[in-house]
Structure formats: structure tokens, C-alpha cells
Amino acid sequence: MKKKRIRRIIVAILLIALVVLVGLFVYDKFFKKEEVKEVKVISKIDKYGYTLKENKPKEYKDMFKELEKILNEDEVDEEKYVSQIAKMYIYDFYSLNDKAAKTDVGGVDFVYKEALENYLKKAQDTYYKYVESNIYNNRKQTLPVVTNIQVGEVTQKAFAYGDKTDEKAYFVKMAWEYTNSQFNGYQKEATLVFIHDGVKLCLVELQ
């Protein structure tokens, strides 16, 4: 009788331990919410509405510093300005590795406000559609990163957008590559169209 009682106690302890382990597994898998770190803005160009977040790659941070220099000149060289934001746009939009989810669309700082809603929807339905969430920094997906961005011909001519016509809109030819040859079949050239919106130049079309 004593041995049977000991066996029952052991079995009960093992069952309790098993229930606890299963409970911990289920909680960790389905209910535990890992802390999502808030992304801080580390630099701003207030007059133009540009911001730099701490999670951006070093390459983008360096480009942002260069943009600050261009825009802090007593007289802003618009061709340098548009060339720099064209480079930044290409890097930020087509590099997906630093994006937290498909809703984390790059390049929004440079897009004309009246085109932004359509821009975000189109990006999420196409290029960003299959970007897996990385809000807990556990993504295993391989994603493209842009490199070797080249600014080609920069021209000015009239461009109509909605009820607005900019007689001196900028057309900027761009070419770029990717750090991983796996993405060599992805888009690698485009013409970006920027119009004036006050002192700011804004992207309205990607050709």
C-alpha cells in the first residue's frame, strides 16, 4: 500500500509538472506580449519636415547629414537638393531589410502630401506586400538592400499634377543595385518627378 501511495504521489507530481510546462508553453506562444521598442526621432529638418529615426541604417543616416548640409546653405542649390532626396528616396523605398512590416513604407518624407494615401496603398499592395513583420526582431526573411545609387540626368520642365502645374518640375533619372544578387531581377532604374510645394520639393511620380 505504501509503495502504491508513493507511486501515486510521483505520478501526480509528474502530471502537475507536465500541466505547468504545457501552460507555460501555451502562454509564451500565444499570450505573452514582447516589448516593442519605440523608435525615436534623432534628427529633424523642421523647415522641410524631414525626420531621421534611430533605426535607420548608417547609409541613410549619412545621406540625411548630407541633406542637412545642403539645406543649411544660405542659398539652397535646388539641383543638389533634388539629387540628394532622389538618392534617399531610392534607398529608403527599395531597401526592405530595415522595415518593421509591410505597412512601414519607406520614402514617405519625400512624397507630395496629396499623393501620399494612394502611394501607401499601392506600395503595400505591391512591393511591400510580402514583407513579414519584424516588430519583435525575430524575422528570418531575406530582404533587399540598395547599394551603388547613381544620379543620372536632371532636367526641368512643366508637369501637371491634379489642378497644379509646376513649370519647373524636376525629372531625375536614377539607377541602383542591390547588395544581394538574389534581387538582381528587381527594379534597378527609374525617373523620379518632383514638384515644388513652397520651399520643399516633393515626389509626385515614379516613371
Side-chain angles (χ1 to χ4, degrees), residues 3 7 19 39 47 49 56 60 62 64 74 76 97 112 115 132 137-138 146 153 157 159-160 162 164 167 175 207:
K3 286 183 178 178
R7 281 199 200 103
V19 169
V39 180
K47 185 177 179 181
K56 288 297 182 187
Y60 188 84
D62 289 343
F64 192 90
D74 292 335
V76 174
N97 195 53
Y112 186 48
E132 296 172 4
N137 295 312
N138 57 0
V146 169
E153 185 182 20
K157 55 186 175 181
F159 184 84
K164 180 184 177 72
E167 298 296 335
Q207 300 176 344

PDB file of all heavy atoms in Angstrom, residues 3 7 19 39 47 49 56 60 62 64 74 76 97 112 115 132 137-138 146 153 157 159-160 162 164 167 175 207:
ATOM      1  N   LYS A   3       3.912   1.549  -1.147  1.00  0.00           N
ATOM      2  CA  LYS A   3       4.572   1.736  -2.442  1.00  0.00           C
ATOM      3  C   LYS A   3       3.609   2.336  -3.468  1.00  0.00           C
ATOM      4  O   LYS A   3       3.971   3.190  -4.276  1.00  0.00           O
ATOM      5  CB  LYS A   3       5.115   0.403  -2.960  1.00  0.00           C
ATOM      6  CG  LYS A   3       6.352  -0.074  -2.220  1.00  0.00           C
ATOM      7  CD  LYS A   3       6.879  -1.360  -2.820  1.00  0.00           C
ATOM      8  CE  LYS A   3       8.151  -1.808  -2.087  1.00  0.00           C
ATOM      9  NZ  LYS A   3       8.670  -3.081  -2.615  1.00  0.00           N
ATOM     10  N   ARG A   7       3.905   5.794  -5.504  1.00  0.00           N
ATOM     11  CA  ARG A   7       3.786   5.858  -6.960  1.00  0.00           C
ATOM     12  C   ARG A   7       2.757   6.919  -7.381  1.00  0.00           C
ATOM     13  O   ARG A   7       2.960   7.675  -8.327  1.00  0.00           O
ATOM     14  CB  ARG A   7       3.363   4.496  -7.521  1.00  0.00           C
ATOM     15  CG  ARG A   7       4.498   3.503  -7.624  1.00  0.00           C
ATOM     16  CD  ARG A   7       4.163   2.382  -8.575  1.00  0.00           C
ATOM     17  NE  ARG A   7       5.014   1.231  -8.326  1.00  0.00           N
ATOM     18  CZ  ARG A   7       4.624   0.128  -7.681  1.00  0.00           C
ATOM     19  NH1 ARG A   7       3.381   0.035  -7.247  1.00  0.00           N
ATOM     20  NH2 ARG A   7       5.456  -0.854  -7.498  1.00  0.00           N
ATOM     21  N   VAL A  19       1.499  19.676 -16.721  1.00  0.00           N
ATOM     22  CA  VAL A  19       0.482  20.710 -16.917  1.00  0.00           C
ATOM     23  C   VAL A  19       1.098  22.102 -16.864  1.00  0.00           C
ATOM     24  O   VAL A  19       0.786  22.983 -17.675  1.00  0.00           O
ATOM     25  CB  VAL A  19      -0.643  20.573 -15.865  1.00  0.00           C
ATOM     26  CG1 VAL A  19      -1.556  21.798 -15.901  1.00  0.00           C
ATOM     27  CG2 VAL A  19      -1.452  19.315 -16.109  1.00  0.00           C
ATOM     28  N   VAL A  39      10.525  53.672 -31.581  1.00  0.00           N
ATOM     29  CA  VAL A  39      11.580  54.205 -32.437  1.00  0.00           C
ATOM     30  C   VAL A  39      11.644  55.713 -32.266  1.00  0.00           C
ATOM     31  O   VAL A  39      10.661  56.419 -32.503  1.00  0.00           O
ATOM     32  CB  VAL A  39      11.335  53.841 -33.917  1.00  0.00           C
ATOM     33  CG1 VAL A  39      12.452  54.412 -34.788  1.00  0.00           C
ATOM     34  CG2 VAL A  39      11.245  52.333 -34.086  1.00  0.00           C
ATOM     35  N   LYS A  47      12.141  73.011 -41.142  1.00  0.00           N
ATOM     36  CA  LYS A  47      11.609  73.858 -42.216  1.00  0.00           C
ATOM     37  C   LYS A  47      11.041  73.029 -43.372  1.00  0.00           C
ATOM     38  O   LYS A  47      10.098  73.436 -44.051  1.00  0.00           O
ATOM     39  CB  LYS A  47      12.720  74.784 -42.716  1.00  0.00           C
ATOM     40  CG  LYS A  47      12.262  75.795 -43.760  1.00  0.00           C
ATOM     41  CD  LYS A  47      13.408  76.723 -44.144  1.00  0.00           C
ATOM     42  CE  LYS A  47      12.978  77.724 -45.206  1.00  0.00           C
ATOM     43  NZ  LYS A  47      14.094  78.618 -45.594  1.00  0.00           N
ATOM     44  N   GLY A  49      10.312  69.542 -42.954  1.00  0.00           N
ATOM     45  CA  GLY A  49       9.528  68.413 -42.451  1.00  0.00           C
ATOM     46  C   GLY A  49      10.195  67.062 -42.551  1.00  0.00           C
ATOM     47  O   GLY A  49       9.521  66.025 -42.511  1.00  0.00           O
ATOM     48  N   LYS A  56      17.233  53.724 -38.595  1.00  0.00           N
ATOM     49  CA  LYS A  56      17.675  53.768 -39.983  1.00  0.00           C
ATOM     50  C   LYS A  56      19.124  53.286 -40.101  1.00  0.00           C
ATOM     51  O   LYS A  56      19.949  53.538 -39.208  1.00  0.00           O
ATOM     52  CB  LYS A  56      17.562  55.186 -40.538  1.00  0.00           C
ATOM     53  CG  LYS A  56      16.133  55.653 -40.791  1.00  0.00           C
ATOM     54  CD  LYS A  56      15.452  54.801 -41.835  1.00  0.00           C
ATOM     55  CE  LYS A  56      14.039  55.292 -42.117  1.00  0.00           C
ATOM     56  NZ  LYS A  56      13.319  54.360 -43.022  1.00  0.00           N
ATOM     57  N   TYR A  60      21.763  55.499 -44.696  1.00  0.00           N
ATOM     58  CA  TYR A  60      20.698  56.504 -44.765  1.00  0.00           C
ATOM     59  C   TYR A  60      20.997  57.680 -43.831  1.00  0.00           C
ATOM     60  O   TYR A  60      20.749  58.835 -44.187  1.00  0.00           O
ATOM     61  CB  TYR A  60      19.351  55.875 -44.414  1.00  0.00           C
ATOM     62  CG  TYR A  60      18.187  56.806 -44.660  1.00  0.00           C
ATOM     63  CD1 TYR A  60      17.614  56.924 -45.920  1.00  0.00           C
ATOM     64  CD2 TYR A  60      17.665  57.592 -43.629  1.00  0.00           C
ATOM     65  CE1 TYR A  60      16.548  57.796 -46.160  1.00  0.00           C
ATOM     66  CE2 TYR A  60      16.602  58.460 -43.859  1.00  0.00           C
ATOM     67  CZ  TYR A  60      16.055  58.560 -45.119  1.00  0.00           C
ATOM     68  OH  TYR A  60      15.008  59.425 -45.346  1.00  0.00           O
ATOM     69  N   ASP A  62      23.901  58.809 -43.043  1.00  0.00           N
ATOM     70  CA  ASP A  62      24.933  59.627 -43.705  1.00  0.00           C
ATOM     71  C   ASP A  62      24.309  60.505 -44.786  1.00  0.00           C
ATOM     72  O   ASP A  62      24.687  61.676 -44.948  1.00  0.00           O
ATOM     73  CB  ASP A  62      26.007  58.725 -44.325  1.00  0.00           C
ATOM     74  CG  ASP A  62      26.888  58.044 -43.262  1.00  0.00           C
ATOM     75  OD1 ASP A  62      26.877  58.503 -42.103  1.00  0.00           O
ATOM     76  OD2 ASP A  62      27.559  57.065 -43.600  1.00  0.00           O
ATOM     77  N   PHE A  64      21.259  61.604 -44.781  1.00  0.00           N
ATOM     78  CA  PHE A  64      20.476  62.636 -44.094  1.00  0.00           C
ATOM     79  C   PHE A  64      21.384  63.792 -43.660  1.00  0.00           C
ATOM     80  O   PHE A  64      21.010  64.964 -43.782  1.00  0.00           O
ATOM     81  CB  PHE A  64      19.768  62.036 -42.883  1.00  0.00           C
ATOM     82  CG  PHE A  64      18.714  62.930 -42.282  1.00  0.00           C
ATOM     83  CD1 PHE A  64      17.403  62.863 -42.713  1.00  0.00           C
ATOM     84  CD2 PHE A  64      19.038  63.846 -41.292  1.00  0.00           C
ATOM     85  CE1 PHE A  64      16.421  63.687 -42.168  1.00  0.00           C
ATOM     86  CE2 PHE A  64      18.069  64.678 -40.733  1.00  0.00           C
ATOM     87  CZ  PHE A  64      16.758  64.604 -41.178  1.00  0.00           C
ATOM     88  N   ASP A  74      23.141  79.203 -47.148  1.00  0.00           N
ATOM     89  CA  ASP A  74      22.424  80.479 -47.249  1.00  0.00           C
ATOM     90  C   ASP A  74      21.515  80.499 -48.472  1.00  0.00           C
ATOM     91  O   ASP A  74      20.398  81.032 -48.431  1.00  0.00           O
ATOM     92  CB  ASP A  74      23.418  81.647 -47.319  1.00  0.00           C
ATOM     93  CG  ASP A  74      24.170  81.815 -46.006  1.00  0.00           C
ATOM     94  OD1 ASP A  74      23.621  81.396 -44.963  1.00  0.00           O
ATOM     95  OD2 ASP A  74      25.290  82.343 -46.021  1.00  0.00           O
ATOM     96  N   VAL A  76      20.059  77.702 -51.141  1.00  0.00           N
ATOM     97  CA  VAL A  76      19.985  76.264 -51.414  1.00  0.00           C
ATOM     98  C   VAL A  76      20.124  76.001 -52.909  1.00  0.00           C
ATOM     99  O   VAL A  76      19.420  76.600 -53.738  1.00  0.00           O
ATOM    100  CB  VAL A  76      18.645  75.682 -50.902  1.00  0.00           C
ATOM    101  CG1 VAL A  76      18.504  74.217 -51.317  1.00  0.00           C
ATOM    102  CG2 VAL A  76      18.551  75.812 -49.387  1.00  0.00           C
ATOM    103  N   ASN A  97      15.015  45.585 -45.797  1.00  0.00           N
ATOM    104  CA  ASN A  97      15.534  44.857 -44.637  1.00  0.00           C
ATOM    105  C   ASN A  97      15.326  45.581 -43.311  1.00  0.00           C
ATOM    106  O   ASN A  97      15.204  44.953 -42.255  1.00  0.00           O
ATOM    107  CB  ASN A  97      17.041  44.572 -44.832  1.00  0.00           C
ATOM    108  CG  ASN A  97      17.541  43.537 -43.858  1.00  0.00           C
ATOM    109  OD1 ASN A  97      16.988  42.450 -43.757  1.00  0.00           O
ATOM    110  ND2 ASN A  97      18.582  43.887 -43.119  1.00  0.00           N
ATOM    111  N   TYR A 112       4.664  63.891 -52.138  1.00  0.00           N
ATOM    112  CA  TYR A 112       3.710  65.009 -52.094  1.00  0.00           C
ATOM    113  C   TYR A 112       2.501  64.607 -51.250  1.00  0.00           C
ATOM    114  O   TYR A 112       1.940  63.521 -51.428  1.00  0.00           O
ATOM    115  CB  TYR A 112       3.299  65.368 -53.519  1.00  0.00           C
ATOM    116  CG  TYR A 112       2.432  66.588 -53.653  1.00  0.00           C
ATOM    117  CD1 TYR A 112       2.750  67.781 -53.008  1.00  0.00           C
ATOM    118  CD2 TYR A 112       1.295  66.562 -54.459  1.00  0.00           C
ATOM    119  CE1 TYR A 112       1.953  68.912 -53.151  1.00  0.00           C
ATOM    120  CE2 TYR A 112       0.491  67.687 -54.620  1.00  0.00           C
ATOM    121  CZ  TYR A 112       0.829  68.860 -53.949  1.00  0.00           C
ATOM    122  OH  TYR A 112       0.041  69.982 -54.089  1.00  0.00           O
ATOM    123  N   ALA A 115      -0.594  63.011 -52.658  1.00  0.00           N
ATOM    124  CA  ALA A 115      -0.423  61.708 -53.309  1.00  0.00           C
ATOM    125  C   ALA A 115      -0.123  60.602 -52.295  1.00  0.00           C
ATOM    126  O   ALA A 115      -0.055  59.421 -52.660  1.00  0.00           O
ATOM    127  CB  ALA A 115       0.722  61.788 -54.323  1.00  0.00           C
ATOM    128  N   GLU A 132       7.422  40.353 -44.111  1.00  0.00           N
ATOM    129  CA  GLU A 132       6.946  39.780 -42.846  1.00  0.00           C
ATOM    130  C   GLU A 132       7.193  40.753 -41.700  1.00  0.00           C
ATOM    131  O   GLU A 132       8.132  41.554 -41.742  1.00  0.00           O
ATOM    132  CB  GLU A 132       7.660  38.451 -42.576  1.00  0.00           C
ATOM    133  CG  GLU A 132       7.351  37.380 -43.614  1.00  0.00           C
ATOM    134  CD  GLU A 132       8.220  36.139 -43.445  1.00  0.00           C
ATOM    135  OE1 GLU A 132       9.009  36.094 -42.471  1.00  0.00           O
ATOM    136  OE2 GLU A 132       8.117  35.223 -44.282  1.00  0.00           O
ATOM    137  N   ASN A 137      11.823  41.757 -33.667  1.00  0.00           N
ATOM    138  CA  ASN A 137      13.203  41.473 -34.109  1.00  0.00           C
ATOM    139  C   ASN A 137      13.490  39.977 -34.228  1.00  0.00           C
ATOM    140  O   ASN A 137      14.575  39.505 -33.864  1.00  0.00           O
ATOM    141  CB  ASN A 137      14.219  42.121 -33.154  1.00  0.00           C
ATOM    142  CG  ASN A 137      14.141  43.625 -33.180  1.00  0.00           C
ATOM    143  OD1 ASN A 137      14.122  44.236 -34.246  1.00  0.00           O
ATOM    144  ND2 ASN A 137      14.066  44.239 -32.014  1.00  0.00           N
ATOM    145  N   ASN A 138      12.524  39.213 -34.749  1.00  0.00           N
ATOM    146  CA  ASN A 138      12.742  37.773 -34.897  1.00  0.00           C
ATOM    147  C   ASN A 138      12.483  37.291 -36.329  1.00  0.00           C
ATOM    148  O   ASN A 138      12.288  36.108 -36.562  1.00  0.00           O
ATOM    149  CB  ASN A 138      11.857  37.001 -33.911  1.00  0.00           C
ATOM    150  CG  ASN A 138      10.373  37.327 -34.082  1.00  0.00           C
ATOM    151  OD1 ASN A 138      10.000  38.126 -34.940  1.00  0.00           O
ATOM    152  ND2 ASN A 138       9.536  36.716 -33.272  1.00  0.00           N
ATOM    153  N   VAL A 146      19.487  48.277 -50.929  1.00  0.00           N
ATOM    154  CA  VAL A 146      20.004  49.017 -52.084  1.00  0.00           C
ATOM    155  C   VAL A 146      21.449  49.454 -51.872  1.00  0.00           C
ATOM    156  O   VAL A 146      21.863  49.787 -50.760  1.00  0.00           O
ATOM    157  CB  VAL A 146      19.115  50.252 -52.352  1.00  0.00           C
ATOM    158  CG1 VAL A 146      19.751  51.200 -53.367  1.00  0.00           C
ATOM    159  CG2 VAL A 146      17.737  49.812 -52.835  1.00  0.00           C
ATOM    160  N   GLU A 153      20.744  62.006 -65.405  1.00  0.00           N
ATOM    161  CA  GLU A 153      20.356  63.320 -65.934  1.00  0.00           C
ATOM    162  C   GLU A 153      19.279  63.969 -65.062  1.00  0.00           C
ATOM    163  O   GLU A 153      18.318  63.322 -64.647  1.00  0.00           O
ATOM    164  CB  GLU A 153      19.840  63.154 -67.367  1.00  0.00           C
ATOM    165  CG  GLU A 153      19.508  64.464 -68.060  1.00  0.00           C
ATOM    166  CD  GLU A 153      18.960  64.240 -69.462  1.00  0.00           C
ATOM    167  OE1 GLU A 153      18.482  63.131 -69.755  1.00  0.00           O
ATOM    168  OE2 GLU A 153      18.984  65.212 -70.255  1.00  0.00           O
ATOM    169  N   LYS A 157      11.178  70.756 -66.473  1.00  0.00           N
ATOM    170  CA  LYS A 157      10.138  71.078 -67.463  1.00  0.00           C
ATOM    171  C   LYS A 157       8.792  71.086 -66.757  1.00  0.00           C
ATOM    172  O   LYS A 157       8.685  70.700 -65.589  1.00  0.00           O
ATOM    173  CB  LYS A 157      10.150  70.088 -68.621  1.00  0.00           C
ATOM    174  CG  LYS A 157      10.024  68.637 -68.233  1.00  0.00           C
ATOM    175  CD  LYS A 157      10.189  67.744 -69.462  1.00  0.00           C
ATOM    176  CE  LYS A 157      10.183  66.264 -69.076  1.00  0.00           C
ATOM    177  NZ  LYS A 157      10.370  65.382 -70.235  1.00  0.00           N
ATOM    178  N   PHE A 159       5.158  70.162 -65.419  1.00  0.00           N
ATOM    179  CA  PHE A 159       4.483  68.917 -65.048  1.00  0.00           C
ATOM    180  C   PHE A 159       3.187  69.256 -64.323  1.00  0.00           C
ATOM    181  O   PHE A 159       3.173  70.066 -63.391  1.00  0.00           O
ATOM    182  CB  PHE A 159       5.369  68.057 -64.147  1.00  0.00           C
ATOM    183  CG  PHE A 159       4.758  66.717 -63.812  1.00  0.00           C
ATOM    184  CD1 PHE A 159       4.890  65.646 -64.681  1.00  0.00           C
ATOM    185  CD2 PHE A 159       4.038  66.540 -62.632  1.00  0.00           C
ATOM    186  CE1 PHE A 159       4.315  64.404 -64.385  1.00  0.00           C
ATOM    187  CE2 PHE A 159       3.459  65.313 -62.332  1.00  0.00           C
ATOM    188  CZ  PHE A 159       3.594  64.244 -63.204  1.00  0.00           C
ATOM    189  N   ALA A 160       2.080  68.641 -64.773  1.00  0.00           N
ATOM    190  CA  ALA A 160       0.776  68.890 -64.162  1.00  0.00           C
ATOM    191  C   ALA A 160       0.415  67.740 -63.239  1.00  0.00           C
ATOM    192  O   ALA A 160       0.518  66.558 -63.613  1.00  0.00           O
ATOM    193  CB  ALA A 160      -0.284  69.048 -65.235  1.00  0.00           C
ATOM    194  N   GLY A 162      -2.889  66.933 -60.697  1.00  0.00           N
ATOM    195  CA  GLY A 162      -4.178  67.426 -60.207  1.00  0.00           C
ATOM    196  C   GLY A 162      -4.473  68.783 -60.834  1.00  0.00           C
ATOM    197  O   GLY A 162      -4.389  68.957 -62.051  1.00  0.00           O
ATOM    198  N   LYS A 164      -2.661  71.393 -60.174  1.00  0.00           N
ATOM    199  CA  LYS A 164      -1.417  72.163 -60.019  1.00  0.00           C
ATOM    200  C   LYS A 164      -0.479  71.874 -61.184  1.00  0.00           C
ATOM    201  O   LYS A 164      -0.331  70.723 -61.596  1.00  0.00           O
ATOM    202  CB  LYS A 164      -0.737  71.766 -58.702  1.00  0.00           C
ATOM    203  CG  LYS A 164       0.574  72.479 -58.411  1.00  0.00           C
ATOM    204  CD  LYS A 164       1.181  71.919 -57.121  1.00  0.00           C
ATOM    205  CE  LYS A 164       2.540  72.536 -56.801  1.00  0.00           C
ATOM    206  NZ  LYS A 164       2.446  73.915 -56.347  1.00  0.00           N
ATOM    207  N   GLU A 167       5.847  74.656 -63.553  1.00  0.00           N
ATOM    208  CA  GLU A 167       6.556  74.929 -64.811  1.00  0.00           C
ATOM    209  C   GLU A 167       8.017  74.500 -64.750  1.00  0.00           C
ATOM    210  O   GLU A 167       8.661  74.322 -65.787  1.00  0.00           O
ATOM    211  CB  GLU A 167       6.470  76.428 -65.150  1.00  0.00           C
ATOM    212  CG  GLU A 167       5.050  76.940 -65.382  1.00  0.00           C
ATOM    213  CD  GLU A 167       4.383  76.301 -66.600  1.00  0.00           C
ATOM    214  OE1 GLU A 167       5.098  75.850 -67.508  1.00  0.00           O
ATOM    215  OE2 GLU A 167       3.134  76.274 -66.613  1.00  0.00           O
ATOM    216  N   ALA A 175      19.609  55.167 -61.115  1.00  0.00           N
ATOM    217  CA  ALA A 175      19.960  53.754 -61.301  1.00  0.00           C
ATOM    218  C   ALA A 175      20.561  53.260 -59.993  1.00  0.00           C
ATOM    219  O   ALA A 175      21.200  54.025 -59.263  1.00  0.00           O
ATOM    220  CB  ALA A 175      20.954  53.592 -62.449  1.00  0.00           C
ATOM    221  N   GLN A 207       8.517  57.092 -62.785  1.00  0.00           N
ATOM    222  CA  GLN A 207       8.341  56.593 -64.161  1.00  0.00           C
ATOM    223  C   GLN A 207       9.308  55.462 -64.472  1.00  0.00           C
ATOM    224  O   GLN A 207      10.385  55.402 -63.907  1.00  0.00           O
ATOM    225  CB  GLN A 207       8.548  57.743 -65.139  1.00  0.00           C
ATOM    226  CG  GLN A 207       7.575  58.901 -64.933  1.00  0.00           C
ATOM    227  CD  GLN A 207       7.857  60.075 -65.841  1.00  0.00           C
ATOM    228  OE1 GLN A 207       8.922  60.202 -66.436  1.00  0.00           O
ATOM    229  NE2 GLN A 207       6.900  60.985 -65.947  1.00  0.00           N
TER     230      GLN A 207
END
